Amino acid sequence: MTSDPASSEPHRILSIQSSVAYGHVGNSAATFPLMRRGIEVWPVYTVHFSNNTGYESWRGPMLTASDVLEVVRGIDDRGVLGSCDAVLSGYQGGEDVGAAILEAVRLVKDRNPAAIYCCDPVLGDVDRGIYVRPSIPEFMSSTVVPAADVITPNQFELGLLTGLPTGSLNEVLTAAEAARDLGPGAVLVTSVTTPDDLDSVSMVLVDHSGGWRVTTPLIPQTFTGAGDLTAAVFLGGLLQHGRDAAAEALAETAAVAYGVLSLTRARGARELQLVAAQDEIASPSRSFPVVRIR
């Protein structure tokens, strides 16, 4: 059931991710959309760069694992972690930061056992290949993913996590089930394309209720930060509708993502146009059917 923001306290997410001053990736892609959809966000930064690293240069500091934990412990000092409903994480530059995030998750769940952990296991994509340290995929699959309640890999990352092929829809489903066997209850696979349908892109969700797919027209552009946006909106939907209504959260996520990306494309922009697309974030103009596939 959807919560009514006007009559109840908003859900709260502790989001531990990168941040950029210019553009929208990591927390810079997650915070505004979540707040626009009525969810309180406590952003904790792992880096604070001038811009995303897809540009030819960037500047700014990388925070240490102890820095990350100090901020989380400072929040705990306020006595509010018990009201935190979820932890969201994205890019993890090293095992030390990953361990700090897991410690933050442990602390939040100690304060609120009902809290959930959503991990976007950022490893790479089909266009760029792996763009994290060589040790990170194994660390993700062996240590981080088993601690997560929800993961949101793209099609390429799902294959890295499971070691299984993901070229067809059936292979994606099989690999997603294998990912669930690692620990998380729900696996949302993003950016799914298949050779028999090159004009569309899908999201595939596998959880305890079965398998679900939502398909949108393919927008011919690479969007940095789209995965961060998607993970955030999906987690927000799970909190607002309940974990047993994941298909409903999936439908909303697809609609929001398509609205933001299509407007960004129409403006000829490189960075996500979150402010211009804020009405699409709050109330998308298009919807797409969610189909049971298993």
Side-chain angles (χ1 to χ4, degrees):
M1 179 179 295
T2 305
S3 63
D4 180 1
S7 61
S8 62
E9 285 292 312
H11 293 286
R12 298 174 177 89
I13 294 176
L14 178 69
S15 182
I16 308 175
Q17 301 194 60
S18 61
S19 176
V20 294
Y22 171 75
H24 299 292
V25 298
N27 265 329
S28 304
T31 301
F32 176 74
L34 283 169
M35 296 180 78
R36 189 67 177 84
R37 292 183 63 80
I39 294 175
E40 189 68 51
V41 184
W42 300 339
V44 177
Y45 300 156
T46 55
V47 306
H48 185 52
F49 287 165
S50 55
N51 49 269
N52 78 67
T53 58
Y55 289 90
E56 63 277 4
S57 64
W58 63 91
R59 301 189 185 197
M62 297 181 65
L63 281 75
T64 66
S66 60
D67 290 332
V68 172
L69 275 178
E70 276 296 286
V71 174
V72 175
R73 288 170 178 151
I75 298 172
D76 191 37
D77 289 343
R78 306 282 67 76
V80 296
L81 276 189
S83 67
C84 180
D85 299 293
V87 178
L88 172 64
S89 71
Y91 173 78
Q92 300 180 14
E95 290 91 336
D96 57 342
V97 173
I101 291 171
L102 291 182
E103 175 61 19
V105 171
R106 185 203 63 77
L107 185 58
V108 169
K109 289 195 171 193
D110 183 60
R111 303 292 186 260
N112 176 15
I116 62 176
Y117 172 35
C118 176
C119 171
D120 182 13
V122 179
L123 301 172
D125 59 46
V126 68
D127 295 327
R128 295 173 58 189
I130 300 174
Y131 47 68
V132 296
R133 294 180 186 176
S135 59
I136 294 298
E138 170 60 24
F139 175 70
M140 276 287 177
S141 62
S142 66
T143 305
V144 179
V145 168
D149 300 290
V150 181
I151 61 170
T152 61
N154 62 35
Q155 186 174 7
F156 177 81
E157 291 162 341
L158 179 64
L160 285 178
L161 291 173
T162 62
L164 296 174
T166 60
S168 69
L169 182 59
N170 282 336
E171 288 176 342
V172 167
L173 285 168
T174 299
E177 288 287 5
R180 285 191 73 229
D181 289 341
L182 295 175
V187 177
L188 173 65
V189 189
T190 64
S191 304
V192 176
T193 59
T194 57
D196 58 339
D197 188 3
L198 299 178
D199 295 324
S200 65
V201 62
S202 297
M203 297 182 193
V204 173
L205 169 68
V206 176
D207 68 359
H208 70 280
S209 67
W212 308 84
R213 182 188 191 188
V214 60
T215 301
T216 61
L218 178 67
I219 301 172
Q221 180 175 332
T222 298
F223 299 94
T224 305
D228 305 320
L229 168 69
T230 298
V233 174
F234 182 67
L235 175 58
L238 289 180
L239 295 179
Q240 291 179 320
H241 298 295
R243 293 172 68 180
D244 289 332
E248 189 171 352
L250 175 63
E252 288 184 346
T253 302
V256 170
Y258 184 80
V260 171
L261 300 187
S262 60
L263 188 145
T264 300
R265 170 73 174 178
R267 285 178 159 235
R270 176 171 179 170
E271 299 286 350
L272 298 180
Q273 299 294 287
L274 297 182
V275 174
Q278 63 180 293
D279 291 341
E280 289 290 331
I281 294 170
S283 182
S285 59
R286 290 191 63 177
S287 61
F288 303 92
V290 173
V291 178
R292 178 183 283 277
I293 54 176
R294 176 164 292 181

